[in-house]
Amino acid sequence: MNQARPIISATPSAQALALAAVDGDDETADTAAEAESRALQVPPGHHGDRLDRALAALVPEFSRSYLGQLVEAGAAQVNGRAVAKPAHRLRAGDRIDIELRPTPMSQAFVPQPMALDVVHEDEHLAVIDKPAGLVVHPAPGHWSGTLLNGLLARDERARQLPRAGIVHRLDRDTSGLMVVARSRPAMDALVAAIAARRVTREYLALAHRPWTGPAEREVDAPIGRDPRNRLRMAVVDLDRNAGKPAQTGVQLLQNAEHGCLLRCALRTGRTHQIRVHLAQLRHPLVADALYGGAPAAGLQRQALHARRLAFQHPITGEPLAFEAPLPADLAAALADWGLTMPA
């Protein structure tokens, strides 16, 4: 079992990466970064088009929704006059002047030095022990300070890969092991291996209520967006709601007066899968307020830790297996409930 634990501090990068906006940006950039002014002429094929639609064709590196936001923010003129309505109709030959401001997403994909706990690294991949509280990928509300930003800062190779080599994610408040690619062949092979269920991912979970019934269970319950609360996921009926099959293996390790320590193995990798399945079993994770948990045993974040990760090396075929020790907060929670860390 590989258990090397070097702490590697990221070094600053010389060149920032940028991505074009995607549909779904909900705010214009508030930044000191330089904006680009661009002058455009409406071709005959866009006579009668809305301003935002024509801009999407003439400035394809930005999304239509984001360009519409720029128009509403006063960044566009047509024939020298300010136009603030994306639905403004154009004529062939009209001149459009628009100030193309950086998007929040484009500014998110920049290197930010941070200390990362690197368990293993070779030419093609790295294994990271992610702390609770670290967001994996930039998203609305978390445009900086993510694992992706740290990877861009510490590794030149990450800048050549989609998503800096990230092939799977952990929730912000879940701690533990993640594999990231350092080469494109490794990235493609890891994505395929995860999809084919050839990557073993085991978690330790501290859940409410003592466990009853069989010590091992296979949960097979599809997961989709909760039709009553779009901010969370839920077990759904695929005949009536959109969703995907989801399977989790659950094993009781120890019981306590107030709850239980479980080992959970992902058979599939759906959003919030373990959290949703344990809530369905009426054993929500400690401190997972989104799915019915509550703070307990001193924990204020969901009690889930990606303890074990095993797979064949995507290039050499060598079997690799890694284990991450419990972080201090989870270890203290187990002690508070009189539980011991399993071997």
Side-chain angles (χ1 to χ4, degrees):
M1 191 71 65
N2 294 281
Q3 291 185 319
R5 315 290 299 163
I7 303 292
I8 301 179
S9 294
T11 55
S13 165
Q15 182 68 39
L17 292 185
L19 292 185
V22 296
D23 288 333
D25 287 341
D26 57 4
E27 58 181 343
T28 54
D30 179 13
T31 175
E34 290 186 5
E36 175 192 352
S37 295
R38 196 173 298 187
L40 308 162
Q41 188 172 41
V42 178
H46 289 285
H47 180 81
D49 274 357
R50 289 169 50 113
L51 175 57
D52 58 352
R53 181 177 180 183
L55 282 172
L58 298 171
V59 193
E61 63 267 36
F62 287 82
S63 73
R64 179 175 172 178
S65 64
Y66 188 72
L67 289 164
Q69 291 176 50
L70 291 180
V71 171
E72 290 173 343
Q77 293 184 345
V78 177
N79 298 326
R81 300 182 62 180
V83 174
K85 293 183 178 181
H88 176 85
R89 295 291 175 175
L90 298 168
R91 295 182 177 183
D94 280 352
R95 175 190 168 103
I96 304 171
D97 293 282
I98 185 163
E99 187 180 78
L100 298 173
R101 303 166 185 171
T103 68
M105 178 170 282
S106 73
Q107 297 172 85
F109 287 72
V110 297
Q112 293 180 327
M114 65 180 66
L116 296 175
D117 188 352
V118 181
V119 177
H120 168 86
E121 186 171 35
D122 61 40
E123 182 180 359
H124 295 284
L125 60 87
V127 176
I128 309 293
D129 188 356
K130 186 189 85 69
L134 179 62
V135 175
V136 169
H137 194 278
H142 299 283
W143 289 119
S144 63
T146 70
L147 175 62
L148 180 143
N149 299 117
L151 292 172
L152 291 175
R154 74 169 296 274
D155 191 353
E156 289 280 344
R157 294 174 177 237
R159 304 179 207 176
Q160 310 304 318
L161 298 173
R163 302 179 302 282
I166 293 170
V167 295
H168 67 113
R169 303 186 189 186
L170 295 178
D171 294 339
R172 177 182 63 183
D173 288 332
T174 297
S175 56
L177 296 173
M178 292 181 58
V179 59
V180 297
R182 300 188 67 228
S183 70
R184 189 56 192 258
M187 186 170 193
D188 293 342
L190 285 169
V191 169
I194 291 171
R197 307 183 188 182
R198 297 195 302 268
V199 176
T200 298
R201 291 175 286 170
E202 292 185 358
Y203 295 69
L204 289 180
L206 189 62
H208 290 287
R209 301 176 60 247
W211 188 265
T212 58
E216 296 189 25
R217 293 189 61 174
E218 287 290 328
V219 183
D220 188 351
I223 291 175
R225 189 68 59 182
D226 189 336
R228 295 171 296 181
N229 181 351
R230 305 299 293 176
L231 297 179
R232 48 177 268 165
M233 310 301 287
V235 170
V236 296
D237 181 348
L238 294 181
D239 291 333
R240 295 189 295 175
N241 300 103
K244 295 181 179 179
Q247 295 91 35
T248 306
V250 182
Q251 178 187 9
L252 172 67
L253 297 177
Q254 296 177 49
N255 254 337
E257 179 182 357
H258 301 294
C260 51
L261 178 63
L262 306 171
R263 176 185 288 122
C264 300
L266 288 179
R267 315 298 188 209
T268 55
R270 310 306 178 205
T271 300
H272 298 176
Q273 179 173 314
I274 291 174
R275 300 165 64 186
V276 171
H277 277 172
L278 290 184
Q280 181 74 7
L281 294 175
R282 300 183 62 216
H283 291 282
L285 290 172
V286 167
D288 187 1
L290 189 60
Y291 294 104
L299 278 178
Q300 299 296 318
R301 60 98 170 181
Q302 64 203 32
L304 190 61
H305 177 64
R307 183 193 184 197
R308 187 171 188 272
L309 183 66
F311 54 93
Q312 282 193 327
H313 193 285
I315 305 302
T316 68
E318 175 190 3
L320 299 175
F322 306 92
E323 286 192 1
L326 276 182
D329 61 346
L330 272 178
L334 264 62
D336 186 79
W337 276 9
L339 300 168
T340 59
M341 180 68 180

